[in-house]
Amino acid sequence: MDVIRTVPELAARVAAWREDGERIGLVPTMGGLHGGHTRLIRAAKERDEKVVLTLFVNPTQFGPDEDLAGYPRSEAEDLELARIEFVDLAFVPEAAEMYPPGFSTRVQVDYDEDVLCAADRPGHFDGVAQAVTKLLNLSRADSAYFGEKDWQQLQIVRKLVRDLNIATRIVGVPTVREGDGLAMSTRNRTLGAEHRAIAPRLFAEITRAASRIAQGEPTELACVEAAENLIIAGFSDVEYLECRDAERLRIAPSPGHGARVFAAARLGGARLIDNVPVPDLLAR
Ligand code: AMP
């Protein structure tokens, strides 16, 4: 596996592959790799001949009060894991390689700008869209792989490639969980033992809310009670816990097929997010 840190080196490698007719898969990450990332890499290996993994903690998607400096970094371990997973090329740029002096172009996402994470993290998805646009262009990937754990991000990236006519196919990959249900996340590393024990309640509560909604209980009641239970369990804040339709992310008061329950909640210093589908019980 080659580890490449500059844009010209990446461009040269990708150009050679394309000349040889190789299909390229891109797996963008911020490093701190775990089983969720591994699932993305394996999905890419199944479909594509060459897999490019990117490790880049993108500063433009962090707000001024967010954890950019404290975001867990583990490059040596990440590269080792990537080798074990037969990644072909790891692209590990510094921020100045991606945004050199004089960089002045923004990608602005107006789509669902005031819902879910967009409401709590202003500018976050603009930063994601900016980095993803660059990585898609640089890698010239046929397919790019994103996790359903970050469902809103996945929808925004799908919209981005449609709106900007980027030819890459966007592939969504199901959420990988720990044995107790907690969605794998780099930020889980920042949880102390006491908070780690409480963290699976997030998945448990949204799953229960989803099942109550499927059985016909009022959506808002199910969501409010789930949020209250999280606070009782020890979460310090629930930023949102809502049922929305899966694609447009509009509030779903009486959810039909494809609704999901989404939540973001704070536990200790960590902000955890998760989402699950509302099962189709009523339709059966
Ligand atoms: P991150 O490094 O957290 O920015 O995540 C990089 C990619 O991995 C994103 O597409 C995430 O949605 C995806 N991802 C993160 N956690 C998981 C998980 N538990 N299961 C599946 N995909 C995940």
Side-chain angles (χ1 to χ4, degrees):
M1 182 183 79
D2 288 327
V3 180
I4 281 180
R5 296 181 191 274
T6 69
V7 165
E9 285 174 287
L10 177 62
R13 180 58 54 92
V14 163
W17 282 341
R18 292 207 74 93
E19 223 158 87
D20 293 345
E22 308 267 29
R23 229 183 11 253
I24 299 171
L26 174 72
V27 180
T29 80
M30 298 207 296
L33 298 190
H34 51 68
H37 298 116
T38 311
R39 175 78 64 88
L40 265 57
I41 293 169
R42 291 181 185 172
K45 288 298 291 185
E46 266 173 35
R47 182 191 290 256
D48 302 306
E49 284 134 353
K50 297 292 179 190
V51 172
V52 176
L53 172 77
T54 69
L55 307 178
F56 178 54
V57 183
N58 173 36
T60 69
Q61 69 190 66
F62 286 79
D65 302 328
E66 293 185 350
D67 58 346
L68 174 61
Y71 192 84
R73 289 163 169 84
S74 51
E75 187 185 307
E77 289 89 339
D78 292 349
L79 293 176
E80 194 47 44
L81 182 67
R83 274 189 197 97
I84 292 168
E85 293 294 329
F86 303 108
V87 166
D88 296 281
L89 187 161
F91 180 52
V92 192
E94 293 290 338
E97 185 68 18
M98 290 288 277
Y99 307 117
F103 187 93
S104 60
T105 301
R106 310 214 167 282
V107 181
Q108 189 178 325
V109 179
D110 290 339
Y111 180 67
D112 44 77
E113 60 188 336
D114 55 357
V115 307
L116 302 179
C117 290
D120 299 308
R121 305 187 69 188
H124 168 68
F125 288 118
D126 294 349
V128 170
Q130 185 179 45
V132 168
T133 302
K134 281 180 68 81
L135 292 173
L136 293 174
N137 286 335
L138 283 168
S139 65
R140 298 170 67 188
D142 295 277
S143 301
Y145 298 80
F146 292 84
E148 291 184 353
K149 185 187 76 95
D150 301 280
W151 186 273
Q152 186 176 18
Q153 170 174 281
L154 173 61
Q155 301 313 312
I156 285 171
V157 171
R158 286 191 197 284
K159 188 76 177 20
L160 172 81
V161 299
R162 276 206 302 275
D163 287 350
L164 299 184
N165 309 106
I166 297 172
T168 307
R169 177 194 171 110
I170 303 302
V171 181
V173 177
T175 303
V176 179
R177 300 182 179 282
E178 305 285 358
D180 57 14
L182 175 65
M184 289 189 184
S185 166
T186 306
R187 288 193 166 93
N188 293 350
R189 293 181 191 178
T190 65
L191 295 169
E194 190 193 335
H195 288 140
R196 175 62 188 82
I198 299 169
R201 286 295 294 276
L202 182 62
F203 173 62
E205 289 299 334
I206 60 174
T207 302
R208 185 153 62 171
S211 128
R212 289 177 63 185
I213 291 165
Q215 283 157 8
E217 288 194 42
T219 301
E220 215 186 314
L221 181 70
C223 290
V224 166
E225 287 186 1
E228 283 170 3
N229 290 341
L230 288 177
I231 297 295
I232 292 166
F235 282 74
S236 55
D237 186 31
V238 178
E239 289 184 359
Y240 58 79
L241 198 159
E242 294 171 347
C243 182
R244 290 181 175 265
D245 81 76
E247 205 181 316
R248 297 292 320 280
L249 305 181
R250 287 169 303 210
I251 283 279
S254 57
H257 175 72
R260 300 184 79 86
V261 176
F262 297 88
R266 288 191 179 273
L267 183 60
R271 180 178 184 276
L272 305 181
I273 64 170
D274 203 349
N275 68 92
V276 295
V278 174
D280 272 337
L281 293 186
L282 287 177
R284 278 188 215 145

